[in-house]
Amino acid sequence: LAACAALDFFRPHKTTEPLERLYELVRTVVPPLEKDRFFEPDIRAVSDLIRNQEVVKAVIPGYRSGLHSDSSE
């Protein structure tokens, strides 16, 4: 959430493609911070993305749970 807020301050500049995909994913469940608000719903929404492996799917194209093999193994 903090990284997404930081990216908002640096717009229109972009970061790497994987991080842009992650930013877009987070923004589907958490809007940009425009004023103070209670963060528990935002944290829960992003936690759900992590728990459901949506974050890794956004960052690693072609990732499928249990089928991804790390080339360093």
Side-chain angles (χ1 to χ4, degrees):
L1 292 171
C4 287
L7 288 174
D8 290 332
F9 285 112
F10 285 100
R11 293 296 189 211
H13 300 291
K14 300 276 186 176
T15 185
T16 64
E17 275 302 311
L19 292 181
E20 286 294 331
R21 289 191 301 269
L22 179 57
Y23 173 87
E24 292 301 323
L25 175 66
V26 170
R27 288 295 177 236
T28 66
V29 296
V30 177
L33 184 63
E34 295 177 4
K35 61 180 182 172
D36 286 344
R37 66 176 182 246
F38 186 60
F39 279 107
E40 189 274 336
D42 297 348
I43 294 167
R44 184 177 302 203
V46 172
S47 293
D48 288 344
L49 292 175
I50 295 167
R51 189 176 305 106
N52 296 328
Q53 298 186 342
E54 296 302 319
V55 168
V56 72
K57 290 175 190 174
V59 175
I60 303 173
Y63 177 86
R64 292 185 296 173
S65 179
L67 299 177
H68 181 73
S69 63
D70 185 3
S71 61
S72 66
E73 293 182 288

